[in-house]
Amino acid sequence: MKKILALLLVSVLCVGLLCGCGQSSEPETAEEAPDAAGTEAEAPAGNIAIETLRVAFVPSREPDEIITATEPLKELLTQELAKLGYDVGNVDITVGTSYEAVGEALSAGTADVGLIPGGTYVLYDDGCDVLLTATRDGLSIDSDSAKDWNDNAPTEPTTEQVTSYRALMIAGPSEKGQELAAKVNAGEALTWEDVSGANWSVANSSSPAGYIYPSLWLQENFGRNITELPHAVQSDSYGSAFARLASGQVDVLCTYADARRDYEDEWVGEYAMSNSIWDDTAVIGVTPAIYNDTISVSKTSPIMDDAFKAALSEAFINIGNTEEGKAVIAIYSHNGYLPAQSSDYDSERAAQEMIQSLNSAG
């Protein structure tokens, strides 16, 4: 079941993440350290020597593309870790055959660090620890209240780097869409009769913002799931979903928080609407935060202890703060990294439990 859930939950969240886990005792002398990849010993200069650091990436892009783009990461990591007391002989970067393969490698200790999505981390958190969350540009609005998003529209990007994003349920210019928007803006709570009477556009069932988290929102607010919406169609892209919303084919769509910014020009251009997207649409629902990709580490790696985890965290944060580093991590649309904790991904756990329950019921 875990493997099925990993494919379901992380295929769209394709961003790269690092995961490292495990602890080990540090040998007292170089002679006591075993001569194998992933071992550590005292370096002559006082740094701890690590023969090989194994970093695994999920295959969210073509493997050759990832390997080429991340080649500079080897030297960047080596340089940063040397400043922090660790001399790394070799950084071995690989791309897993699947998201689950990277999670399993971390659990088995055959990978030390993994760049994995939050969904993969949660499925394999018995074998790996989260260190960092990737950051992205923030938005001017980040509220649990749909009315707040409408009162303060349009949303604007900020220079603040954030570790999560929201999914929104957005009503369009149709009569039913405007009816739902008016009720929300009047401060009234929507009922199941309200939402089930609307025509919805949803994304593929593996999409966090277009399906999984909206289903979690329906469950939390109405005790129902997205499969119980009687009038829902699956759109093959957010572009086609917004086109349907503009034409009135659907009353509500599920999407990521800054999607209206991305389709603002199409709304008055390709979709030929007279008003701006901000005038024609309104938020009727907001999901819990969807946390970004992770850098996690293996719990069973022979080189991983608390001191090295701290050094890895600092090294990746430092790399993300340089232009050269940003160019490397851009392969996964990362802007930088901030410290993370397991509880940050509790919403992801709730979403997975809900999906597991639905699969069991089915």
Side-chain angles (χ1 to χ4, degrees):
M1 178 61 71
K2 277 194 170 187
K3 292 183 178 180
I4 295 173
L5 292 175
L7 286 172
L8 175 66
L9 293 170
V10 301
S11 65
V12 174
L13 288 175
C14 58
V15 277
L17 309 164
L18 288 175
C19 180
C21 327
Q23 298 183 359
S24 65
S25 299
E26 180 182 316
E28 295 181 358
T29 67
E31 289 74 22
E32 292 174 8
D35 184 16
T39 60
E40 60 184 49
E42 286 293 337
N47 278 3
I48 295 174
I50 294 179
E51 185 176 337
T52 301
L53 177 64
R54 300 160 299 178
V55 180
F57 286 72
V58 293
S60 57
R61 305 279 286 270
E62 286 297 320
D64 289 346
E65 184 181 0
I66 295 172
I67 292 295
T68 299
T70 59
E71 178 66 26
L73 181 62
K74 297 179 180 180
E75 183 62 25
L76 292 174
L77 267 176
T78 300
Q79 291 175 354
E80 287 297 328
L81 287 170
K83 299 174 188 176
L84 298 168
Y86 293 88
D87 291 333
V88 178
N90 177 51
V91 177
D92 180 28
I93 293 179
T94 59
V95 179
T97 56
S98 66
Y99 288 72
E100 311 98 290
V102 178
E104 290 170 358
L106 290 167
S107 294
T110 54
D112 306 309
V113 181
L115 292 87
I116 58 175
T120 306
Y121 159 66
V122 167
L123 288 171
Y124 292 93
D125 62 0
D126 55 345
C128 66
D129 293 322
V130 63
L131 293 186
L132 302 169
T133 297
T135 64
R136 56 191 288 152
D137 292 334
L139 290 175
S140 56
I141 308 170
D142 182 27
S143 171
D144 293 317
S145 167
K147 188 174 184 300
D148 286 346
W149 289 79
N150 299 329
D151 289 346
N152 297 288
T155 55
E156 299 290 349
T158 70
T159 57
E160 178 188 7
Q161 293 299 291
V162 297
T163 56
S164 64
Y165 63 100
R166 305 275 189 161
L168 303 178
M169 277 57 71
I170 297 175
S174 67
E175 182 179 353
K176 182 63 175 179
Q178 292 298 295
E179 174 190 320
L180 296 176
K183 191 169 184 179
V184 167
N185 288 333
E188 301 176 32
L190 296 177
T191 66
W192 173 247
E193 288 70 26
D194 290 328
V195 299
S196 64
N199 294 316
W200 286 67
S201 171
V202 301
N204 183 278
S205 60
S206 63
S207 169
Y211 190 98
I212 296 169
Y213 276 74
S215 194
L216 182 62
W217 177 80
L218 289 168
Q219 189 69 237
E220 291 177 343
N221 286 277
F222 310 108
R224 305 296 185 98
N225 64 70
I226 211 165
T227 61
E228 296 179 83
L229 290 171
H231 312 293
V233 295
Q234 180 179 310
S235 296
D236 59 3
S237 69
Y238 288 121
S240 63
F242 273 102
R244 284 173 166 166
L245 193 70
S247 68
Q249 293 179 50
V250 298
D251 307 306
V252 181
L253 61 74
C254 307
T255 190
Y256 55 97
D258 47 349
R260 286 183 293 178
R261 290 184 50 78
D262 291 343
Y263 291 95
E264 187 172 7
D265 291 341
E266 285 87 343
W267 192 262
V268 295
E270 182 181 344
Y271 309 152
M273 300 299 289
S274 300
N275 299 320
S276 77
I277 196 171
W278 306 102
D279 292 329
D280 280 343
T281 66
V283 177
I284 65 167
V286 183
T287 72
I290 305 172
Y291 266 77
N292 295 340
D293 296 341
T294 74
I295 291 178
S296 304
V297 293
S298 169
K299 289 180 178 177
T300 54
S301 164
I303 66 172
M304 207 61 62
D305 59 17
D306 289 343
F308 189 48
K309 284 193 267 188
L312 276 172
S313 294
E314 187 172 347
F316 274 106
I317 290 173
N318 292 343
I319 289 170
N321 286 333
T322 67
E323 290 305 314
E324 186 180 4
K326 288 182 185 298
V328 174
I329 63 179
I331 185 69
Y332 283 124
S333 300
H334 295 175
N335 287 332
Y337 301 101
L338 289 174
Q341 55 189 358
S342 178
S343 60
D344 292 340
Y345 293 88
D346 284 347
S347 291
E348 186 73 35
R349 293 182 176 91
Q352 292 194 24
E353 289 173 4
M354 177 197 66
I355 296 297
Q356 182 174 5
S357 176
L358 294 179
N359 288 342
S360 298

